[in-house]
Amino acid sequence: PQTLQFGFGVGKQPAPEYPWQAARDGQEGIVKVEFSVAENGRVSSARAAEPSAWTLLNEAAVRTVRQRWKFSAGKLRTYEVAIRFELAK
């Protein structure tokens, strides 16, 4: 897979919402998501290739990539991106 830097480069990459339960419990971490983009530019599959220790953060990252990220049409391609969940101190 080609590595993307979250928020930069190709495609529309909105940030996931921080799950309120995770924020309440002080959960932070990095989720590495591997995903495929179909020829129409939509994400066809996504999974936590290197999950954080927190299920809520993993689910939020994968769900956002799968449902909200969009790319230009083109050939089938695979990417990986690290999404950091960090609470304001």
Side-chain angles (χ1 to χ4, degrees):
Q2 185 179 358
T3 301
L4 293 180
Q5 185 177 352
F6 175 61
F8 296 95
V10 300
K12 178 182 171 193
Q13 304 176 31
E17 289 186 27
Y18 216 116
W20 69 269
Q21 303 98 319
R24 177 195 66 204
D25 295 342
Q27 296 176 1
E28 297 181 316
I30 298 172
V31 182
K32 186 176 278 187
V33 179
E34 185 176 301
F35 62 98
S36 296
V37 177
E39 293 174 347
N40 65 3
R42 297 184 87 64
V43 175
S44 57
S45 66
R47 67 180 186 90
E50 292 180 28
S52 74
W54 309 108
T55 301
L56 290 172
L57 301 183
N58 300 331
E59 291 172 348
V62 170
R63 181 175 51 251
T64 299
V65 170
R66 186 180 289 135
Q67 296 177 356
R68 300 186 57 215
W69 286 25
K70 294 180 178 52
F71 297 83
S72 57
K75 66 181 181 176
L76 179 67
R77 54 226 180 238
T78 303
Y79 296 108
E80 66 180 16
V81 64
I83 298 175
R84 177 184 300 272
F85 287 87
E86 190 171 41
L87 295 166
K89 305 271 191 243

